Amino acid sequence: GFLRSVANTALYVLFVAPVSVALGLAIALLIEGGRRGRALFRALFFLPVVSLTVAMATAWSYILHPTIGPLNALLRAVGIDGANWLGDSGTVLLSLGLIGIWENAGFNLVLFLAGLTAIPRDLYAAAEMDGVKSAWDRFVTVTWPMLGPTTLFVVIITTVRAIRVFDTVATLTQGGPNKASEVILFTMYTEGFSFFRMGYSAAITLLFLVAVTLLMLVQNRLIDRRVHYG
């Protein structure tokens, strides 16, 4: 029902949003620092940004297939029994969450790279003259404060993208098994276009929009207090 989809969506957002923001920032720092393998990371995580979500979901359905999927084949090769990732109520939301992290991390990577590029290089030179030598100290002293506005935007947009998850659920699980992966937008869709309860679907839509608006206002107020604008 509706409450189950709300709980599933909340768990999905709490897992996907913070991890994909942190991962996107970490990869952006890796690429910006010119470390080895940056081209591989850029291609791997930027792929979902330029690909159709449905196409990538179809690829994931093969990767996570319990019998012919390469993931379980790899696990069997090292003596581990793979799970029915998308067909077990205990693992389906985790699997969708990992796919969501991969999808959002690439988008966040692009935003963080733009933010890092905009940081004046002379700030790092000035920090080094003041005795800031290590990479971690440079990050804490210069990079993180200057990324405040970018981070605020990334957190908000990632939360919105996670809340409105639909394509992967519709393509991979259809809300199953036993409604373990049913999310708000999928409930809204099935109520309106499968069961033709348009009034109920419209009510869910309205509640969804109100909840997202309130969440964004609260999040913006809380995070904005901690943002340092350079």
Side-chain angles (χ1 to χ4, degrees):
F2 176 68
L3 293 179
R4 179 70 181 274
S5 66
V6 169
N8 289 339
T9 304
L11 289 173
Y12 180 90
V13 172
L14 290 173
F15 178 45
V16 170
V19 177
S20 59
V21 169
L23 185 60
L25 175 59
I27 300 170
L29 291 170
L30 182 69
I31 294 174
E32 181 71 12
R35 301 298 176 85
R36 183 178 300 177
R38 62 185 183 273
L40 174 63
F41 281 111
R42 182 180 297 170
L44 181 63
F45 286 94
F46 192 67
L47 181 62
V49 179
V50 296
S51 303
L52 289 174
T53 303
V54 174
M56 297 310 302
T58 304
W60 277 109
S61 69
Y62 166 68
I63 294 172
L64 298 176
H65 194 280
T67 55
I68 64 173
L71 176 58
N72 277 0
L74 181 63
L75 292 175
R76 285 193 296 270
V78 296
I80 300 175
D81 292 330
N84 186 2
W85 300 104
L86 297 174
D88 188 320
S89 59
T91 58
V92 62
L93 203 58
L94 172 64
S95 301
L96 291 173
L98 292 173
I99 295 172
I101 289 170
W102 178 66
E103 291 176 343
N104 285 283
F107 186 77
N108 296 341
L109 163 65
V110 176
L111 298 176
F112 276 124
L113 280 175
L116 289 170
T117 304
I119 298 176
R121 299 296 100 181
D122 55 358
L123 290 179
Y124 292 102
E128 188 171 353
M129 291 180 62
D130 290 337
V132 178
K133 301 294 184 182
S134 70
W136 174 253
D137 288 338
R138 286 195 299 272
F139 173 76
V140 173
T141 306
V142 180
T143 306
W144 181 244
M146 293 300 295
L147 276 180
T150 302
T151 304
L152 171 64
F153 177 75
V154 169
V155 169
I156 291 176
I157 202 70
T158 304
T159 303
V160 172
R161 283 166 59 90
I163 290 175
R164 63 178 181 82
V165 59
F166 173 79
D167 290 351
T168 51
V169 173
T171 305
L172 295 174
T173 67
Q174 292 79 49
N178 300 319
K179 298 187 181 296
S181 63
E182 186 166 329
V183 292
I184 293 176
L185 288 188
F186 189 77
T187 300
M188 180 189 70
Y189 173 80
T190 54
E191 290 294 336
F193 297 99
S194 296
F195 305 126
F196 301 105
R197 293 196 281 258
M198 302 304 296
Y200 188 30
S201 179
I204 294 175
T205 304
L206 180 60
L207 290 174
F208 172 77
L209 293 175
V210 171
V212 169
T213 302
L214 290 177
L215 177 62
M216 294 306 101
L217 290 174
V218 171
Q219 190 177 60
N220 186 76
R221 180 66 61 86
L222 292 176
I223 298 178
D224 193 43
R225 294 176 179 176
R226 296 169 173 79
V227 170
H228 303 279
Y229 292 90

